[in-house]
Amino acid sequence: MSGNAPGKKKPTASRKKAAVAEAPRPSAPKQREKSTGLHIGEAAPGVAKVDPIIVADGVRRTFGGLTAVDVEHVEIPRGAITALIGPNGAGKTTLFNLLTGFDKPDAGSWVFDGSSLSGVPAFKVSRMGQVRTFQLTKALGLLTVVENMKLGAKGQKGEKFWHSLVPALWRAQDDEIEERAMRLLTKFKLDAKADDFAASLSGGQRKLLEMARALMSEPQLVMLDEPMAGVNPALTQSLLDHILDLKDEGMTVLFVEHDMHMVRHIADWVIVMAEGRVVAEGDPVTVMKNPAVVDAYLGAHQDVDLGVVTGRYGDGKAGAGVTAAQIEAEGRAELEDEEK
Amino acid sequence: MTITRSALARRVPRTIGVLLALFTAAFAVILMTVSPASAAPSADGDPYRVSGNVQLDGEPLEGVRLTIDGPGGLQEVVTDANGQWKVGVPEKNETYVVTLDEETLPAGIAVVDPEDDTPNVKEAEVGQGGRVTVNFFIGEGERHVTSFFDQFVQRSVTGISFGLMLALAAVGLTLVYGTTAIANFAHAEMVTFGPIVVGAVAAAATAAMPIEAALAVAIVIAIVLSAGLGLFLDVVIWRPLRRRRVGVVQLMIVSIGLSLTMRYLFQFFIGGGTTQLPFAAMEKIPLFGVVQMSWIDIASIVISIVVIVAFALWLSYSRVGKATRAISDNSPLAAASGIDVDAVVRVVWVLAGAMAGLAGILYAYYRPGLKWDMGTQVLLLMFAAVTLGGLGTAFGALIGSIIVGLLVELSTLWIPADLKFAGALFILIVILLFRPQGILGRRERIG
Amino acid sequence: MDWLNILSNSASSIISPATMAYALAALGLAVHFGYAGLLNMGVAGFMALGAYGYAISILTFGFPWWLAMLVGLVASAGFAFVLGIPTLRLRGDYLAIVTIAAAEVVRLLFLTTAFDPVTGSADGLSGYHGSFRDANPLPDGNYGFGPWVYSSDQWWVRIVGVIALALAVVLVWRLMASPWGRVLKGIREDEDAVRALGKNVFSYKMQALVLGGVIAGAGGIVYALPSAVNSGVYVTSLTFFVYTALLLGGAATVFGPLIGSLIFWVLQTLLSNLLPAMVQAGILPFMSQIQAGTLRFILVGVALMLLVVFRPQGIFGNKKELTFVR
């Protein structure tokens, strides 16, 4: 890890969230401390970061006449969990595709970890340490779970055509990779399924597999496109913990998510997009209070909970009666919690 | 078109059952009337031979170009160092027209025959032996030349006529692709089916009525049965597969299997030879410049244009036509907004069948002659047209077809005639290199 | 009916050069379609280039037989490479249309009279056997037992065919058991996912296209070894027959293509002998012997349809393991 993410709090006594208990949630992740002090100056769209891992400038992508992405300047902080949120059609996934080389912008440049990524094909982006997952899970169904994992490892000698014909050249490395894959699978509680076809996994297990597979390449930056979409509530907790673990292990995480409560719990920084632009940035609590964000999401219906509009507010208890004021109260409670 | 509307309006399953029964019965009757195969199935390598020797005063002339026209299409050949030439032809007991290109003779030399107005054009009949020799009298004299411009005009007209015919078949192919995602290789056999019915019905009906009436009746029956074939295939094969949610690659391979099945079924019943439809050998009348056409050629162009315009209007303005485009655009969305996808797809199959059958009849006059694998010969050109225009867009298929038609005919100005299909296919590959989505297609978004 | 003759002919086809040629072509197609998910509909073109490359090298350039074989393989590899550059970025169904079109272009180029001195146009090429037969280590005479009695030249063709097939099988088997094969199978399942893991998908597809193309080209050479080369053989139907053979055995397996080709040819030989004989014996009424000959191709089409819908994993495959390539 970069180690120089300043302002990262020293571990203090872990706390139970008192305030959170008021509003029941589908899943209550164990609260870990957030990284703060990531930005320089006022938290506004395009604000400079103390230690950015990605810096993007003037990235534009149009489809026909429609501008899907038009980002003037944005920086992603290193060593933190950044959430990319916004209403449907805001251009989040398109921005993801652009940053990872899966799509080409009409204009713009961006830098990952000091090297320019404009025009770099997707597979090279991945090799540089920036790995992504997909909104619609891409488990490789007719490969076994462990084969899926081994595919994620970088620099395999046996993946070269002529080398692959001489097992002696790659057997040792392959065994090593398998060992690492099994360790990760154990951590993700998929080890029992190692020799099953990935097609036999449940939707949530596939999400876990995809994330674990991405980790096989030992990335610096993990980009998750809606990691929670379609995940069984029973698995949500473990998925959240895994994402938080990534940060503890020194990786940077950027994720797209609709579930505001998840965002609030695990994100250190939130970037809000609407109609292709970055409309707000900040820590989760302040961003949710930002009128521009409420506008972007709700238009006129400002008395509805963001969680209801944008995500699956799991247990149905939080109906439309939850007000924006409540969200604020909740947020404030969390903030106070944070500062204790 | 009225048939299809009523087929859609009455969505009673029993109606379909009755239609199917009628169709099957009619098909059976037609197959009964067809005489069993007599000719041996011909290999694809054109087994019969037209050849000759071009000499001037006993000295061989090298590099003289000759064209040979007849069943199997136009071919071009150049004499070798011994002044000899030969081409393979697919049919025997047929007449081929051999034309010597006088421009390729040495200066001041021409084909001379005082008895003949056009001594450089000869007819040759390939008899039972499957071989025929054609020689020309070469000497000093005046040439019969067609200027480059005249050739250009002539071939452009032929190309547009061919393109329109291709378009008739291709729009069906592309609509089926757009609405059902099937790249239907068996479309070739839907093309072949039309002329086969015409041949069978016309042969049977000439006993009862004058040949003109018999042909008209035969064409109407053929188009109705072609439409029925489309419906039949949808009900028996494609709809059950849609229900099973069979993948697109599997669907494509099923269509290949269906194509093989139908093609060899045709060969089973009509044999491997070429049969001519009534009036195939109609005299050409001069129109303007060097352009000559028979009444059948003219009718073919007019029919193509009328049907394509009617189809375009239907697609643009009718309720079902709009629904068709909506499904091509986004099938789940169309289904969600209350369009009965199955019913529309059924209409598409019926229309595709009818238009393919009609195109096949016109193609049988263009080639000329009907043959069990005639549809397969143009299948790739249809795919080329459809791909050029952008898979799934009907208007793209129209433009693509005309481009392909022109390419095929005009390319013979520069490359040997037996490579004209190759040229068109090559250009397809090159265009896809620069514009994979076709001319009117859209680029797909990733993610 | 002469049952003995019918059965003997069918049994003989087990080791016929045609069976081996189909097995090689199907194995190449298994690399393309079964393992890499590339919907190559131009198998006939690869085979044509192998066969013509071999024959033309001998007849026109006077190469020895082994160098001519190499030329045939290189021609197929080159075709794969040239075809791959524009097409590997295309979606599956576009790829199918472009490959089938390219194979037709190749066939028409061999058929045209423009290159008659080299290609023999409609007559094809023959009489290129001299140097190959000279290299035959077997003494003259007929060998074998039962239905498998062949002359020493016929045995020589079969031996070379078996060696080529064995080499190809071992090669494909080794590759598919390696990390290289793992990447390829991953690409078949979802190429974007593999790209996101840092693999150069285009490069892998190209390698697979060339490898499969070379194996299919070897099939073309084996097909040409015993008699002659004719462009009428390399029509799109050949591609479809190879698909049928492949799907019979199972697309994503090493031995499936072999078994499939075997079944395909034994059945074809059996039916082509049996059906006309049945007509002659009056068992199949209402049809002529020629029609009975056509019947077996109708059955191929029906078999292909039924296979792909009901047993996409092949007749011996395990449904759980091999569902169909999407």
Side-chain angles (χ1 to χ4, degrees):
Chain A
M1 123 154 229
S2 58
N4 55 355
K8 191 182 177 193
K9 276 195 169 183
K10 281 182 215 109
T12 51
S14 63
R15 299 134 304 176
K16 293 274 167 272
K17 300 168 294 166
V20 178
E22 297 166 11
R25 295 198 170 75
S27 57
K30 183 173 69 207
Q31 189 67 26
R32 306 189 208 185
E33 78 266 33
K34 302 271 178 106
S35 308
T36 53
L38 300 164
H39 59 293
I40 304 167
E42 192 75 9
V47 65
K49 303 298 182 310
V50 175
D51 180 23
I53 189 162
I54 284 188
V55 181
D57 274 299
V59 177
R60 267 172 57 85
R61 176 72 171 104
T62 54
F63 294 106
L66 199 87
T67 305
V69 165
D70 187 3
V71 172
E72 235 167 75
H73 182 88
V74 74
E75 299 185 1
I76 312 291
R78 190 192 301 271
I81 299 178
T82 304
L84 187 59
I85 66 169
N88 286 330
K92 306 179 296 284
T93 296
T94 310
L95 182 63
F96 244 56
N97 287 339
L98 292 172
L99 291 181
T100 49
F102 275 84
D103 194 2
K104 291 206 171 13
D106 302 323
S109 64
W110 62 104
V111 170
F112 168 73
D113 206 19
S115 42
S116 170
L117 279 190
S118 319
V120 174
F123 75 94
K124 282 192 183 154
V125 171
S126 165
R127 284 182 191 173
M128 291 164 78
Q130 181 186 331
V131 174
R132 71 170 294 183
T133 67
F134 293 87
Q135 191 175 343
L136 298 168
T137 330
K138 293 182 185 293
L140 307 170
L142 295 184
L143 268 60
T144 64
V145 169
V146 73
E147 277 179 323
N148 261 279
M149 292 295 287
K150 287 162 86 174
L151 201 55
K154 282 199 286 195
Q156 296 190 45
K157 292 177 193 140
E159 288 184 354
K160 294 206 178 74
F161 184 86
W162 296 110
H163 287 191
S164 71
L165 290 171
V166 189
L169 289 174
W170 49 263
R171 186 67 77 197
Q173 190 196 27
D174 203 54
D175 292 344
E176 217 172 274
I177 289 168
E178 182 154 346
E179 210 174 291
R180 194 150 58 84
M182 287 311 295
R183 276 205 301 277
L184 265 173
L185 283 178
T186 313
K187 196 177 149 202
F188 279 78
K189 298 199 173 59
L190 286 170
D191 46 333
K193 296 261 182 190
D195 293 322
D196 292 2
F197 285 108
S200 68
L201 299 182
S202 73
Q205 286 173 322
R206 287 185 203 195
K207 284 269 178 199
L208 283 175
L209 173 61
E210 202 183 0
M211 197 192 291
R213 191 176 64 196
L215 298 183
M216 282 297 289
S217 68
E218 298 171 321
Q220 282 178 274
L221 170 62
V222 183
M223 297 176 63
L224 308 169
D225 197 349
E226 299 201 20
M228 292 309 200
V231 175
N232 168 355
L235 273 172
T236 331
Q237 182 60 59
S238 96
L239 220 101
L240 286 181
D241 283 339
H242 285 307
I243 296 175
L244 287 164
D245 285 347
L246 298 183
K247 185 172 90 170
D248 291 347
E249 284 162 28
M251 283 172 248
T252 306
V253 179
L254 175 65
F255 71 101
V256 170
E257 189 50 71
H258 279 302
D259 185 333
M260 282 313 139
H261 295 282
M262 174 191 165
V263 169
R264 202 175 307 161
H265 281 297
I266 65 168
D268 303 311
W269 191 258
V270 177
I271 297 172
V272 188
M273 287 183 75
E275 289 163 2
R277 296 164 192 279
V278 175
V279 293
E281 277 194 56
D283 62 77
V285 177
T286 30
V287 152
M288 305 248 175
K289 283 188 280 187
N290 188 327
V293 178
V294 180
D295 259 11
Y297 266 100
L298 302 174
H301 313 283
Q302 300 206 354
D303 54 354
V304 187
D305 184 358
L306 283 180
V308 174
V309 179
T310 59
R312 310 151 309 277
Y313 201 104
D315 56 6
K317 252 191 123 181
V322 188
T323 63
Q326 243 175 302
I327 300 174
E328 279 185 35
E330 227 179 280
R332 214 171 296 127
E334 274 187 43
L335 193 67
E336 283 160 17
D337 197 27
E338 200 86 50
E339 285 164 359
K340 258 184 224 161
Chain B
M1 230 70 78
T2 47
I3 303 157
T4 65
R5 289 245 178 98
S6 59
L8 182 78
R10 289 174 284 143
R11 276 187 218 122
V12 193
R14 214 181 47 207
T15 320
I16 292 166
V18 172
L19 269 174
L20 279 182
L22 274 177
F23 173 72
T24 317
F27 191 38
V29 167
I30 282 176
L31 291 179
M32 291 298 163
T33 61
V34 176
S35 58
S38 51
S42 82
D44 289 275
D46 291 350
Y48 310 115
R49 172 70 43 82
V50 181
S51 59
N53 202 341
V54 182
Q55 291 183 329
L56 176 63
D57 304 334
E59 287 297 309
L61 291 175
E62 191 183 355
V64 178
R65 194 166 66 211
L66 300 105
T67 53
I68 297 88
D69 201 0
L74 191 69
Q75 301 190 60
E76 204 170 274
V77 68
V78 177
T79 55
D80 62 14
N82 300 321
Q84 288 170 338
W85 60 271
K86 62 179 178 187
V87 290
V89 291
E91 311 297 340
K92 57 182 180 179
N93 302 323
E94 289 290 343
T95 303
Y96 289 83
V97 178
V98 182
T99 310
L100 188 146
D101 183 357
E102 293 180 295
E103 299 234 329
T104 55
L105 291 173
I109 304 298
V111 182
V112 283
D113 186 353
E115 312 264 294
D116 196 342
D117 285 343
T118 53
N120 64 325
V121 181
K122 282 192 179 234
E123 292 195 348
E125 192 180 328
V126 181
Q128 262 313 324
R131 258 150 228 271
V132 70
T133 311
V134 182
N135 287 322
F136 294 89
F137 301 98
I138 310 270
E140 289 177 23
E142 201 184 322
R143 288 186 191 170
H144 305 263
V145 215
T146 317
S147 75
F148 181 83
F149 177 76
D150 284 345
Q151 284 190 47
F152 188 86
V153 172
Q154 199 164 16
R155 295 192 192 181
S156 299
V157 171
T158 325
I160 289 170
S161 150
F162 182 54
L164 285 170
M165 186 205 79
L166 211 55
L168 268 185
V171 286
L173 183 63
T174 203
L175 273 193
V176 165
Y177 180 84
T179 50
T180 64
I182 301 167
N184 183 22
F185 280 70
H187 202 74
E189 278 57 47
M190 294 169 73
V191 168
T192 316
F193 183 70
I196 286 182
V197 176
V198 171
V201 174
T206 36
M209 55 184 96
I211 188 156
E212 290 85 359
L215 181 61
V217 168
I219 289 176
V220 170
I221 292 179
I223 293 171
V224 171
L225 282 185
S226 297
L229 177 67
L231 178 65
F232 176 79
L233 292 177
D234 184 45
V235 171
V236 172
I237 297 179
W238 302 117
R239 196 155 53 122
L241 292 181
R242 274 204 299 285
R243 292 268 158 83
R244 283 176 71 109
R245 300 190 176 282
V246 171
V248 286
V249 170
Q250 271 164 293
L251 287 175
M252 182 194 262
I253 298 178
V254 170
S255 84
I256 289 173
L258 180 63
S259 166
L260 288 176
T261 309
M262 290 175 68
R263 197 189 314 162
Y264 286 105
L265 262 178
F266 292 156
Q267 196 195 33
F268 186 91
F269 285 110
I270 69 166
T274 299
T275 323
Q276 294 300 340
L277 295 181
F279 304 114
M282 220 183 207
E283 210 167 308
K284 293 192 185 227
I285 48 172
L287 287 181
F288 56 91
V290 286
V291 178
Q292 290 189 336
M293 279 187 170
S294 71
W295 279 110
I296 290 277
D297 296 338
I298 296 166
S300 165
I301 293 183
V302 172
I303 290 171
S304 305
I305 292 176
V306 168
V307 173
I308 287 169
V309 167
F311 170 78
L313 291 175
W314 174 82
L315 196 63
S316 306
Y317 298 112
S318 80
R319 199 173 51 82
V320 184
K322 284 178 187 165
T324 306
R325 283 185 296 145
I327 294 171
S328 298
D329 214 41
N330 188 335
S331 179
L333 186 67
S337 53
I339 295 174
D340 183 349
V341 174
D342 257 358
V344 174
V345 166
R346 205 178 303 141
V347 173
V348 165
W349 274 107
V350 168
L351 270 183
M355 288 167 75
L358 176 61
I361 298 167
L362 301 183
Y363 182 50
Y365 281 105
Y366 173 91
R367 288 181 70 230
L370 80 89
K371 198 177 169 202
W372 62 286
D373 67 345
M374 59 184 279
T376 317
Q377 293 169 358
V378 282
L379 178 70
L380 284 181
L381 291 184
M382 289 192 281
F383 269 124
V386 163
T387 318
L388 273 182
L391 276 177
T393 58
F395 297 108
L398 175 60
I399 294 171
S401 299
I402 291 176
I403 293 176
V404 168
L406 282 172
L407 270 177
V408 164
E409 288 298 330
L410 287 179
S411 64
T412 55
L413 290 172
W414 296 279
I415 61 172
D418 58 2
L419 280 179
K420 62 183 181 181
F421 284 8
L425 295 177
F426 181 73
I427 287 168
L428 161 79
I429 297 169
V430 171
I431 290 182
L432 284 179
L433 191 59
F434 298 106
R435 206 175 154 78
Q437 71 272 35
I439 295 167
L440 291 188
R442 282 174 309 185
R443 276 182 72 181
E444 282 192 31
R445 286 171 64 155
I446 308 169
Chain C
M1 271 191 288
D2 187 354
W3 278 105
L4 194 68
N5 193 30
I6 292 170
L7 291 178
S8 160
N9 282 342
S10 309
S12 173
S13 71
I14 290 175
I15 53 166
S16 77
T19 306
M20 293 177 206
Y22 266 54
L24 280 164
L27 188 62
L29 189 59
V31 173
H32 289 162
F33 177 65
Y35 287 108
L38 298 169
L39 198 51
N40 172 20
M41 286 283 165
V43 182
F46 288 97
M47 293 178 76
L49 279 162
Y52 273 96
Y54 173 69
I56 290 174
S57 301
I58 293 175
L59 292 173
T60 305
F61 302 107
F63 288 180
W65 64 278
W66 53 271
L67 188 59
M69 282 185 180
L70 205 62
V71 170
L73 297 183
V74 169
S76 311
F79 181 58
F81 187 75
V82 171
L83 197 58
I85 294 171
T87 55
L88 287 180
R89 298 177 203 278
L90 300 178
R91 245 173 33 206
D93 34 11
Y94 274 83
L95 180 72
I97 291 167
V98 172
T99 45
I100 200 172
E104 267 302 274
V105 170
V106 166
R107 183 180 73 89
L108 291 169
L109 283 174
F110 286 130
L111 178 63
T112 175
T113 46
F115 310 121
D116 184 66
V118 179
T119 62
S121 61
D123 291 335
L125 296 169
S126 56
Y128 45 78
H129 305 293
S131 95
F132 179 72
R133 287 183 182 160
D134 289 346
N136 186 356
L138 302 171
D140 280 346
N142 287 330
Y143 309 92
F145 61 91
W148 300 284
V149 176
Y150 305 109
S151 72
S152 72
D153 278 341
Q154 286 173 319
W155 272 116
W156 179 224
V157 167
R158 281 163 178 78
I159 289 168
V160 171
V162 165
I163 291 172
L165 194 54
L167 282 176
V169 164
V170 170
L171 180 71
V172 173
W173 174 60
R174 293 308 307 158
L175 280 168
M176 294 311 160
S178 78
W180 187 86
R182 191 162 62 213
V183 177
L184 209 60
K185 285 180 259 181
I187 290 170
R188 175 191 69 198
E189 298 296 307
D190 192 319
E191 62 175 76
D192 273 345
V194 176
R195 199 172 277 134
L197 294 171
K199 318 293 177 198
N200 187 348
V201 168
F202 181 80
S203 163
Y204 279 98
K205 281 182 170 182
M206 183 62 97
Q207 291 169 33
L209 192 66
V210 171
L211 171 70
V214 167
I215 296 176
I221 295 175
V222 171
Y223 208 93
L225 276 184
S227 54
V229 182
N230 192 300
S231 63
V233 170
Y234 304 97
V235 290
T236 48
S237 300
L238 175 63
T239 302
F240 301 156
F241 292 160
V242 173
Y243 261 91
T244 311
L246 176 69
L247 291 171
L248 269 169
T253 55
V254 176
F255 290 101
L258 263 70
I259 296 166
S261 306
L262 214 65
I263 298 173
F264 183 88
W265 270 104
V266 170
L267 279 180
Q268 280 285 303
T269 319
L270 180 70
L271 291 176
S272 72
N273 284 283
L274 183 63
L275 293 173
M278 282 166 76
V279 171
Q280 212 166 20
I283 303 172
L284 277 180
F286 313 121
M287 62 173 86
S288 66
Q289 288 195 39
I290 294 167
Q291 284 177 312
T294 313
L295 198 56
R296 72 181 203 271
F297 294 111
I298 300 174
L299 293 176
V300 171
V302 174
L304 184 58
M305 280 194 281
L306 293 178
L307 264 178
V308 88
V309 175
F310 295 106
R311 283 202 77 82
Q313 73 278 26
I315 28 183
F316 298 116
N318 175 355
K319 186 134 201 167
K320 206 166 123 200
E321 283 177 27
L322 287 162
T323 55
F324 212 74
V325 180
R326 279 162 297 277

